[in-house]
Amino acid sequence: MKFASLIVALSFSSLALADDVQVAVGANFNAPMKIIAADFEKDTGHKAVVSLGTVGKFFAQIKSGAPFEVLISSDKETPDRLVAEGLAIESTRRTYAYGRLVLWSAKPNYVDAKGEVLKKGAFKHLALANPKLAVYGAAGQEALKHMGVLDAVQSRIVLAENITQAHQFISTGNAELGFVALSQIVGKDGGIASGSAWVLPADLYPQIKQDAIVLNLGRDKPAAKALVDYLKTPKARAVIKAYGYELD
Amino acid sequence: MLNPSDFGAIWLTLKLAGLTTLILLVVGTPLAWWLARTRSRLKGPIGAVVALPIVLPPTVLGFYLLIIMGPNGPVGQFTQWAGMGLLPFTFGGLVVASVFYSLPFVVQPIQNAFEALGDRPLEAAATLGARPIDAFFSVAVPLAKPGFLTATVLGFAHTVGEFGVVLMIGGNIPDKTRVVSVQIYDHVEALEYAQAHWLAGGMVIFSFLVLAALYTLNPTGKKK
């Protein structure tokens, strides 16, 4: 009885000020988004309901009427396309982070500080998110090209559907190394949580500019705008930075 | 139209399904025979293990195969010890995964056919002096032919339709692990809908024809 009345009281109290926001989040931003969503709920009373995935898939789903109100994208191209199709609101767009690419192995001392392992390593499998579908995959491919090793490693590349799966291929040891986002492997102290990694210099791949934007369905929803703006607050920026992203 | 990588995927899929079906007929027949005839208390648990792939989502199978066949898993340690390397991201790995994945679709129809035989034909064969192994090949197998036909067609078609497990352990390598279902997924994800239609439509027609042929040639229910 007490419990039931508590539920009733809670649902009424939140009805007045708080709202749910359906938000699509690019796979690389999974870990920081958990913290930011919790802070966002604490600070504003709004609840961010998160769906994780590849932004290419989100684009197709949003085009087909998926019920998302905000997109926290892994790139800037997908928001570009959504705006061009009239599915998102340009004035709400914010660049919340610049992504950083790492070459990572679950084995300690496997990846060296200059990525020489790509030229000399006797690895059998190099995991890469599908460059056709994922920004970090495309960035990895560009870096390989830039280093002049793409042809040499091409036959050893295993493609993952997104960087979450690339991480899985590497962490289970099935691929000796591969490209992931720094945010996926960063530890509590800001270093690498496990294994060995090389954070690629920025001149090896095109900048990964990550934009968030309110979608058409969120147009009249203050909570949607609030979430996108919340990503620019000092509190959220501190979280984003702790996960190894660059900020502007 | 279909491009060369689509044809590569089709050929790879047919090779995978053919090899998997062959292995399953060899391994599945004695297993089905045992399940059909045994009074052992193990019949329940073993039958359940065979049926697991029907109810488990492919993500569960794929996830555990990735771990078991990985460098720290028991199968992975064995294959490395045997000098075969690791199975994920190889065609051999897909065959192993497909054998598990399609196991019930081959074992169960054969098992049902053996169970439907009853004891009498075999007793008659024994009375006429046939050894059990003779009775099996000259009496049981011919009588269970419709079961074998169903098993072959379903095992093949189900392997052609495999997706989730391959996605999780395949690594999407052209001509090694990029089967038709993964190729379709790539086309759809990259918004190449026209190319996706050719393959996806072809898959629908293929599956329909195979199943229609099976149910026409091999009607169940009315036994002569």
Side-chain angles (χ1 to χ4, degrees), chain A residues 54 56-57 59-60 64 81 124-125 130 132-133 155 157-161 165 168-169 171-175, chain B residues 66-67 69-72 85-86 88-89 167-169 171-173 176 178 185-187 189-193:
Chain A
T54 352
K57 186 183 290 173
F59 175 76
S64 311
R81 284 155 79 196
K124 274 191 157 154
H125 298 297
N130 194 334
K132 262 164 80 182
L133 315 176
S155 63
I157 291 179
V158 287
L159 290 185
E161 196 209 332
Q165 202 189 14
Q168 188 186 88
F169 284 166
S171 64
T172 55
N174 285 299
Chain B
L66 200 60
I67 290 174
M69 305 198 305
N72 303 315
L86 291 171
F89 317 133
L167 191 73
M168 288 188 76
I169 67 158
N172 203 343
I173 305 167
K176 272 197 210 156
R178 185 183 292 165
Y185 184 71
D186 275 5
H187 284 322
E189 289 287 287
L191 310 178
E192 298 161 352
Y193 291 164

Side-chain angles (χ1 to χ4, degrees), chain A residues 77-138:
Chain A
E77 286 74 18
T78 305
D80 284 347
R81 284 155 79 196
L82 287 166
V83 169
E85 300 247 354
L87 296 165
I89 301 148
E90 176 65 34
S91 64
T92 61
R93 183 206 287 240
R94 305 280 180 270
T95 300
Y96 65 93
Y98 294 88
R100 284 164 82 189
L101 184 69
V102 288
L103 182 67
W104 179 57
S105 171
K107 288 187 257 183
N109 306 319
Y110 191 82
V111 174
D112 56 284
K114 283 183 176 162
E116 290 292 318
V117 61
L118 283 173
K119 293 175 185 153
K120 297 173 187 153
F123 56 89
K124 274 191 157 154
H125 298 297
L126 171 73
L128 182 73
N130 194 334
K132 262 164 80 182
L133 315 176
V135 205
Y136 283 85

Side-chain angles (χ1 to χ4, degrees), chain B residues 177-201:
Chain B
T177 61
R178 185 183 292 165
V179 297
V180 172
S181 56
V182 173
Q183 180 84 347
I184 293 172
Y185 184 71
D186 275 5
H187 284 322
V188 173
E189 289 287 287
L191 310 178
E192 298 161 352
Y193 291 164
Q195 272 175 287
H197 275 309
W198 278 100
L199 278 177

Side-chain angles (χ1 to χ4, degrees), chain A residues 5-191:
Chain A
S5 54
L6 183 69
I7 301 258
V8 170
L10 276 177
S11 47
F12 274 110
S13 70
S14 57
L15 206 64
L17 31 117
D19 223 340
D20 281 1
V21 193
Q22 298 287 336
V23 47
V25 178
N28 74 90
F29 203 58
N30 178 23
M33 189 62 204
K34 276 185 193 150
I35 300 173
I36 292 172
D39 287 344
F40 177 65
E41 192 174 350
K42 232 180 289 163
D43 292 351
T44 66
H46 304 310
K47 190 170 162 38
V49 183
V50 171
S51 301
L52 280 182
T54 352
V55 291
K57 186 183 290 173
F58 284 139
F59 175 76
Q61 291 176 342
I62 291 163
K63 235 181 118 172
S64 311
F68 297 121
E69 292 155 334
V70 168
L71 172 70
I72 298 183
S73 186
S74 321
D75 63 359
K76 69 173 275 290
E77 286 74 18
T78 305
D80 284 347
R81 284 155 79 196
L82 287 166
V83 169
E85 300 247 354
L87 296 165
I89 301 148
E90 176 65 34
S91 64
T92 61
R93 183 206 287 240
R94 305 280 180 270
T95 300
Y96 65 93
Y98 294 88
R100 284 164 82 189
L101 184 69
V102 288
L103 182 67
W104 179 57
S105 171
K107 288 187 257 183
N109 306 319
Y110 191 82
V111 174
D112 56 284
K114 283 183 176 162
E116 290 292 318
V117 61
L118 283 173
K119 293 175 185 153
K120 297 173 187 153
F123 56 89
K124 274 191 157 154
H125 298 297
L126 171 73
L128 182 73
N130 194 334
K132 262 164 80 182
L133 315 176
V135 205
Y136 283 85
Q141 196 178 39
E142 276 306 310
L144 291 171
K145 233 183 258 172
H146 223 277
M147 294 170 72
V149 294
L150 182 59
D151 289 338
V153 301
Q154 187 76 58
S155 63
R156 290 178 278 172
I157 291 179
V158 287
L159 290 185
E161 196 209 332
N162 54 40
I163 53 164
T164 309
Q165 202 189 14
H167 183 275
Q168 188 186 88
F169 284 166
I170 304 161
S171 64
T172 55
N174 285 299
E176 291 95 329
L177 74 175
F179 289 103
V180 295
L182 179 56
S183 57
Q184 290 175 289
I185 56 164
V186 81
K188 287 234 154 50
D189 55 355

Side-chain angles (χ1 to χ4, degrees), chain A residues 185-207:
Chain A
I185 56 164
V186 81
K188 287 234 154 50
D189 55 355
I192 306 300
S194 68
S196 52
W198 170 46
V199 182
L200 277 78
D203 57 358
L204 281 183
Y205 58 96
Q207 190 181 48

